[in-house]
Amino acid sequence: MTTDKDSAWAPLAVRVFRALWIAQLVSNVGTWMQTVGAQWLLIGQNAALVTLVQTAASLPVVLLALPSGVLADRYDRRTVLLAAQAAMLATSTVLTVLAFADALSPVTLLGLTFLLGCGTAVMGPAWQAVQPELVARPQLGQAAALGAVNMNLARAVGPAVGGAVVAAAGAGWVFAFNAASYLGIGAVLLRWRRPAAHRPPAAGEGFLAAVDAGRRYVRHAPGVRRVLLRTALFVPGGAALWSLLPLVAGRSLGLGPDGYGLLLGVVGAGAVGGAFALPLIRRAWGANGTLAAGSVVFAAVLAVLATARALWPAAVALLLAGVAWICVLSTLNAAVQARLPGWVRARGLAVYLLVFQGGQALTAPLWGLLADRFGLAVPLLAGSGLLLAGAVGVRRWPLHGTDGIDPTPSDHWPLPPLVFEPGPAAGPVLVSVAYRVAPGNRAAFIDCMGRVSRSRRRTGALGWGLYQDGGDPDRFVESYLVASWQEHLAQHHSRLTATDRRHEERSRRLLAEGTVPEVTHGFDTAAGPVVSDPDGTLLEPGASPPRH
């Protein structure tokens, strides 16, 4: 039986999460009202121009996702969120004034929509990264689902209200509501006092080095890469619905802005209902079954919209689209959240948002061009085909399980026994670890060290190798290169996780009894020796005097 702790709504018991969730709901309603207003102002133009609203909103994520992730990992996430809210409030205010002054051209509208997208791009990684700070790790799945419920509940209300307001009073009023909606999130963030334990340490690594660290982590995290692949296989087909729905409403169904808002509201209602069913669906089919079923249902919805000329079949299909959308997105979001450690969480989520939003931004204009050239049925059916292909591919490229993943920080490495104190920039640093493996365990040791290799590379190693001693087959030497001493100390104190520790312990259980690994640290001598003479005089710039 479902307990309160296991309920889909359990995270709402956390006061800060609940306050932010409510404020986000109001802001999301404003965002959907603005989307309806912007798209309907362009509905008389060609199809490609209408779909560019989605591109203008999503393209900033492609350009700014990784830099935004670095900002959220290096600086206080609350401060980043407040700055993004202030920028979006200012942009929305300009949009509102121009709309009331009847001075809003299509180019200006798309430009301001792009600037709002920039604010969303900066906010996205920080917003996603604070969720694990607000709820317990076992509730991350429910928190991700509630985030999707929030967006889709807003989709159920915002477009319908926005369409009615546009039809009755004009687009300026929906832009005004959107501007005011940012004040709620700002007020909650100002009252939230983020615990010091969650605040980042003083930024030491350079901006480009931080971007590269995030890229390196994702490259050597197979589970994260698989989530990105599943996202990339779903988003292009899914984007066909969001980019072409205003054209389906206006051209195929003969609806006005209020009717288009109603269709979006039906999608949102389906998503809210899907949130209630999601725990049951996951228990019955698992994460991969949920992805496959969601893709098939969404493909069927696009096929129905390609042929529908009446409101009721389109509305029923869109209700199911909402259920499928929340099932797929919540599953993907929870999978990536569960794998990312705190030190790189925002950067990892930025890559996820880059794939998700970038896929929509890049494919939306394509669907619009196809609709202009061949009619609406062709791009809708093409999107349906892509989704079916992705569903079939779940068997070949499933999500990896998360049962053995624990991103909790683990400061288990001892301090290196050096005779001097290197400066932060000293390096590159060559770390060598010698192991004596028990006879008969060589093959198993090599296999276990494959996971250790990925751990080293995720946390900072530029290169890694494992070598077997030609004169002593039971002796193995692991070596890896780290860019600087500062980077290596980050491995020691902030980057390793409980999962990394478990991989190391598994390999060390295969060592000869009574032996321990021997670790040495070598420093680059291209500029001369680090220690110049036997008394420990240091030549390395920025290094501290020898310790006695």
Side-chain angles (χ1 to χ4, degrees):
M1 185 171 67
T2 301
T3 64
D4 291 341
K5 183 178 67 175
D6 297 326
S7 164
W9 309 102
L12 291 176
V14 180
R15 184 178 61 83
V16 176
F17 182 91
R18 181 174 64 251
L20 284 172
W21 192 89
I22 293 171
Q24 185 192 25
L25 176 62
V26 175
S27 182
N28 283 337
V29 168
T31 299
W32 279 107
M33 291 174 66
Q34 139 123 9
T35 299
V36 170
Q39 288 183 320
W40 211 258
L41 283 177
L42 299 174
I43 198 69
Q45 312 291 329
N46 60 54
L49 194 59
V50 175
T51 58
L52 281 178
V53 172
Q54 184 178 15
T55 298
S58 301
L59 186 59
V61 177
V62 179
L63 303 176
L64 300 176
L66 280 175
S68 300
V70 172
L71 287 175
D73 278 333
R74 283 166 53 100
Y75 302 103
D76 182 57
R77 289 165 184 162
R78 172 178 170 272
T79 303
V80 173
L81 291 171
L82 281 169
Q85 291 297 306
M88 289 189 286
L89 172 60
T91 303
S92 294
T93 300
V94 172
L95 181 59
T96 302
V97 170
L98 291 177
F100 279 124
D102 199 22
L104 198 57
S105 67
V107 173
T108 304
L109 175 60
L110 292 173
L112 290 171
T113 301
F114 178 84
L115 290 178
L116 285 173
C118 290
T120 302
V122 171
M123 180 179 172
W127 185 269
Q128 295 269 8
V130 298
Q131 304 306 306
E133 300 177 16
L134 302 177
V135 301
R137 187 170 184 269
Q139 293 181 346
L140 280 178
Q142 292 105 304
L146 281 172
V149 167
N150 192 303
M151 175 61 74
N152 287 284
L153 187 59
R155 183 184 281 125
V157 176
V161 174
V165 171
V166 170
W173 288 103
V174 298
F175 298 152
F177 181 89
N178 185 48
S181 72
Y182 294 117
L183 296 173
I185 293 181
V188 175
L189 289 172
L190 285 171
R191 293 186 51 141
W192 177 36
R193 293 295 176 260
R194 190 180 179 212
H198 292 309
R199 294 172 191 166
E205 60 184 346
F207 188 85
L208 293 180
V211 171
D212 191 56
R215 177 202 59 78
R216 187 170 54 239
Y217 184 92
V218 171
R219 178 183 177 188
H220 296 290
V224 175
R225 293 203 315 272
R226 184 55 57 84
V227 175
L228 299 179
L229 174 62
R230 294 306 328 167
T231 304
L233 291 174
F234 177 78
V235 166
L241 174 66
W242 308 119
S243 56
L244 297 175
L245 189 57
L247 300 171
V248 171
R251 297 182 183 180
S252 299
L253 304 179
L255 301 175
D258 49 349
Y260 169 52
L262 180 63
L263 292 181
L264 283 174
V266 170
V267 179
V272 173
F276 287 98
L278 185 56
L280 294 175
I281 294 172
R282 280 182 177 161
R283 279 197 293 270
W285 294 342
N288 290 300
T290 301
L291 286 180
S295 297
V296 170
V297 170
F298 217 84
V301 169
L302 293 182
V304 170
L305 294 179
T307 57
R309 296 296 180 269
L311 179 60
W312 73 264
V316 171
L318 290 172
L319 192 69
L320 295 175
V323 176
W325 184 259
I326 197 172
C327 286
V328 172
L329 262 62
S330 297
T331 300
L332 293 171
N333 191 283
V336 73
Q337 287 267 19
R339 292 181 173 278
L340 293 170
W343 71 271
V344 75
R345 182 179 297 132
R347 279 167 281 185
L349 288 167
V351 177
Y352 167 71
L353 292 173
L354 172 63
V355 174
F356 181 80
Q357 297 283 7
Q360 295 189 77
L362 295 175
T363 55
L366 173 63
W367 298 133
L369 290 172
L370 288 175
D372 270 339
R373 185 173 181 85
F374 301 108
L376 283 172
V378 169
L380 288 169
L381 292 175
S384 177
L386 287 177
L387 289 166
L388 288 175
V392 172
V394 170
R395 182 179 292 273
R396 175 66 180 84
W397 299 295
L399 291 178
H400 297 166
T402 58
D403 290 342
I405 302 298
D406 184 357
T408 305
S410 178
D411 188 2
H412 61 275
W413 282 4
L415 285 173
L418 304 183
V419 298
F420 63 93
E421 187 80 34
V429 180
L430 179 65
V431 183
S432 298
V433 189
Y435 305 91
R436 181 160 296 280
V437 179
N441 286 348
R442 297 171 190 166
F445 177 77
I446 293 172
D447 181 64
C448 284
M449 290 299 288
R451 293 182 177 85
V452 173
S453 165
R454 289 193 289 271
S455 167
R456 306 287 198 243
R457 293 175 186 271
R458 282 196 300 268
T459 56
L462 302 177
W464 183 92
L466 181 66
Y467 306 90
Q468 186 175 22
D469 193 326
D472 186 355
D474 291 333
R475 182 175 182 272
F476 289 79
V477 178
E478 173 197 9
S479 67
Y480 58 95
L481 195 67
V482 186
S484 68
W485 183 241
Q486 174 180 277
E487 190 89 351
H488 184 54
L489 287 181
Q491 286 183 305
H492 271 263
H493 300 307
S494 61
R495 294 185 178 179
L496 292 173
T497 68
T499 301
D500 298 320
R501 180 172 188 165
R502 189 161 54 245
H503 291 329
E504 292 178 14
E505 291 173 345
R506 187 176 294 123
S507 65
R508 294 184 183 193
R509 284 196 290 268
L510 301 171
L511 301 184
E513 187 175 353
T515 66
V516 295
E518 300 175 4
V519 185
T520 61
H521 298 79
F523 293 83
D524 184 28
T525 59
V530 179
V531 179
S532 65
D533 55 50
D535 70 3
T537 302
L538 303 177
L539 296 181
E540 194 273 323
S544 301
R547 294 172 293 184
H548 299 292

